[in-house]
Amino acid sequence: MNFIKNSWKGLLLCLIIAVPSWFLGKAFPIIGGAVIAILAGMVVTLFIKDKSGFEPGIKFTSKKILQWAVILLGFGLNLGVILQTGKQSLPIIVCTIATSLVIAFILHKALKIPSRISTLVGVGSSICGGSAVAATAPVIDADDEEVAQAISVIFFYNVLAAILFPILGKMIGFDTTAGDAFGIFAGTAVNDTSSVTAAASTWDSMWNLGSATLDKAVTVKLTRTLAIIPITLVLALWRGHKEKSSDGKKVSFKQIFPFFILYFIAASIITTVAIHFGVSGSVFEPIKTLSKFFIVWAMAAIGLNTDIVKLVKTGGKPLALGACCWVGITGVSLLLQHILGIW
């Protein structure tokens, strides 16, 4: 009862921002509800003089609701289909993820970018945008402003990719009679699902391929999502090794172990087993939709806790980092597809 009494105002405020942001995201998928919710939260917080009554609910939404969103995301993963597709795309996925993380680490050192922001941008760029940021943020104890900055950078390059990649695909000679080559490219080089969908759908429309490119791209993208598991576990181990708690002792791995990732794995296994025994994948669609809404809801809270002026002032280096990760991932994806004879 105390939790409800203390938190309902903040939960409701975040929800009021999230609902219209969700529908606007549906209307403008290239932007997406998550980015709209962050921006709306940043604007709304400018007009709230005293947020003390909202703080408990905002904090709960930005932390716990975000973790629940990742858990529910697991219900969209049929591991059988993903592993089958992964045979073709796995080398590209592994190399693009490694490229982004290496670039993020090097530029973190060279440009003196805060480690948490560089980690979030590197992981978000290489795996699956907002979902990867959502999974990584609690593991590395990133604050809301760092999450907002990473999401904003990733969003910017998502939009560019959705617009430019179909043009790039035509220029460099991707196969226009089938969707596999461009689908793998979009699935490995674009990080957020909405932008993967936009780029792949554009390619299908350009060459009258139905949904061939889209189906391939989304499956490859979901395969990348599985990388959330080892990445978060490694980051938890690294943080446990490096950081110290307030009493001067090292933070134990048990303290920061991302238990919600275990539930994410369990959800994926439940989905896979159910589909294997004949349950339609459509049964899980409402849960997947709820996951996406929870991300929007959490992003509203993150926007409410973000200083937009500070975000703009400190945005230059993270944008440069995002650009380097984006170019690196794109180049490695194209190079490996060429080496593997996909195009």
Side-chain angles (χ1 to χ4, degrees), residues 33-228:
V35 172
I36 294 171
I38 283 181
L39 295 174
M42 288 178 186
V43 172
V44 169
T45 200
L46 295 174
F47 297 94
I48 302 176
K49 293 182 179 179
D50 181 11
K51 286 199 299 184
S52 58
F54 299 101
E55 284 296 345
I58 292 173
K59 183 178 179 181
F60 182 86
T61 305
S62 70
K63 303 298 181 186
K64 293 298 182 182
I65 297 292
L66 201 53
Q67 292 182 17
W68 294 352
V70 175
I71 293 168
L72 295 177
L73 187 68
F75 287 103
L77 298 175
N78 179 350
L79 298 178
V81 173
I82 286 171
L83 291 174
Q84 187 176 1
T85 302
K87 293 176 185 177
Q88 185 182 27
S89 61
L90 188 60
I92 303 172
I93 291 170
V94 170
C95 290
T96 52
I97 290 172
T99 298
S100 182
L101 294 177
V102 168
I103 290 171
F105 178 76
I106 290 171
L107 292 185
H108 152 62
K109 295 290 187 181
L111 300 179
K112 294 182 170 53
I113 300 171
S115 62
R116 292 188 180 101
I117 291 177
S118 60
T119 300
L120 291 176
V121 172
V123 170
S125 298
S126 62
I127 300 177
C128 53
S131 301
V133 172
T136 305
V139 177
I140 64 173
D141 198 29
D143 63 35
D144 287 347
E145 287 191 356
E146 290 166 333
V147 172
Q149 196 157 53
I151 292 284
S152 301
V153 168
I154 290 165
F155 153 72
F156 178 71
Y157 294 107
N158 270 339
V159 173
L160 286 182
I163 295 169
L164 297 179
F165 278 13
I167 300 169
L168 177 63
K170 182 181 178 182
M171 287 173 58
I172 63 178
F174 273 127
D175 183 4
T176 59
T177 61
D180 279 10
F182 189 83
I184 291 173
F185 175 54
T188 54
V190 186
N191 51 63
D192 192 76
T193 303
S194 60
S195 295
V196 171
T197 301
S201 298
T202 300
W203 189 261
D204 279 331
S205 299
M206 286 169 66
W207 308 110
N208 298 314
L209 297 174
S211 64
T213 310
L214 179 61
D215 293 343
K216 189 72 172 182
V218 170
T219 307
V220 171
K221 165 67 175 59
L222 291 176
T223 306
R224 284 171 69 194
T225 302
L226 289 178
I228 285 175

